[in-house]
Amino acid sequence: MKKENISDAVIRRLPRYYRHLNELCSRGVVRISSHSLGQEMNITASQIRQDFSCFGEFGQQGYGYNVEELKAEIGHILGVDNDHHLIMIGVGNLGHALLQNFPFSQCGFTVDAAFDVSPAVIGTAVNGVPICSMSELDTFIQSHSVDVVVLTIPQTVAQDTADHLISLGVKGFWNFTNIELSSQVPDVQFENIHFADSLLTLSYRIANR
């Protein structure tokens, strides 16, 4: 049973657990202890047990964790089996690269459509995803279930675009515009991606090694 008030730090470790468990499955590992999993991930065994205890009891004393079962449990917690539906706005270089290369389906997302203002891409498709005109966006959202919108658009229009989408009922945003988006509307969730943060973290580690 899921507990309330789970910290953001725990939630952000869940995808790492899922990724490593998936890798263990691909290597044919059947079971693993919290100690061995911690060594794989550079996390302490006690931290792993503490994180998992937020969601229930996993594993058996003296046996460890069944890798396939634990992967399924973590995937269920993350919602990868919910078949979320997603659209993208902005099919420039970054948007095109994401559509072409990112494994959305492995994360439980179906990409239904993408939208852009450029006549050069409208009417084409990337990796099977149709690219539509922005003029069709409102009608599409009103007639389809859209759980998440990926934003790969200029910063100058990012917040206004998000506000408009929220007014249409969109509740989730994967934001690559490199600015912090926000909303006062309850239950709207933003995941603001900043590539520079990751690179500067590496810069710090190099400078202080």
Side-chain angles (χ1 to χ4, degrees):
M1 181 65 68
K2 182 179 178 180
K3 297 181 179 179
E4 299 298 324
N5 301 320
I6 297 169
S7 74
D8 190 62
V10 173
I11 293 169
R12 290 191 178 278
R13 279 193 290 271
L14 290 178
R16 287 192 62 205
Y17 291 129
Y18 187 74
R19 173 163 49 85
H20 279 275
L21 290 164
N22 194 53
E23 292 172 359
L24 289 169
C25 284
S26 67
R27 283 155 44 190
V29 178
V30 176
R31 68 172 178 169
I32 193 168
S33 67
S34 55
H35 176 73
S36 296
L37 182 58
Q39 287 184 321
E40 291 262 350
M41 300 180 59
N42 197 27
I43 299 175
T44 65
S46 60
Q47 181 68 73
I48 290 172
R49 291 192 294 269
Q50 182 178 332
D51 288 351
F52 290 171
S53 71
C54 294
F55 304 95
E57 297 298 326
F58 305 114
Q60 299 175 13
Q61 187 71 29
Y63 177 85
Y65 304 104
N66 179 293
V67 174
E68 188 69 43
E69 291 179 0
L70 184 59
K71 174 195 165 189
E73 290 283 358
I74 298 299
H76 180 69
I77 292 167
L78 288 168
V80 298
D81 49 3
N82 287 351
D83 189 25
H84 299 297
H85 287 263
L86 173 152
I87 63 172
M88 176 179 289
I89 299 181
V91 193
N93 291 336
L94 177 57
H96 187 281
L98 286 170
L99 289 175
Q100 189 66 52
N101 300 293
F102 189 82
F104 288 99
S105 62
Q106 294 179 24
C107 298
F109 286 85
T110 298
V111 186
D112 292 321
F115 297 83
D116 203 279
V117 296
S118 171
V121 298
I122 293 170
T124 65
V126 178
N127 203 17
V129 177
I131 314 302
C132 307
S133 169
M134 283 293 290
S135 64
E136 303 174 67
L137 178 63
D138 289 18
T139 300
F140 184 93
I141 291 176
Q142 290 162 357
S143 59
H144 293 77
S145 174
V146 176
D147 300 297
V148 169
V149 173
V150 182
L151 293 176
T152 51
I153 55 179
Q155 295 180 1
T156 53
V157 297
Q159 187 66 61
D160 286 345
T161 301
D163 290 341
H164 179 67
L165 291 164
I166 291 166
S167 74
L168 294 173
V170 176
K171 297 290 189 179
F173 294 87
W174 202 22
N175 170 33
F176 287 88
T177 65
N178 207 37
I179 60 171
E180 295 285 324
L181 298 180
S182 61
S183 174
Q184 299 300 315
V185 177
D187 299 327
V188 173
Q189 302 294 325
F190 292 93
E191 183 65 17
N192 296 303
I193 306 300
H194 296 281
F195 292 124
D197 289 6
S198 179
L199 185 58
L200 288 171
T201 299
L202 177 61
S203 175
Y204 171 85
R205 290 172 177 166
I206 293 172
N208 293 277
R209 60 190 169 187

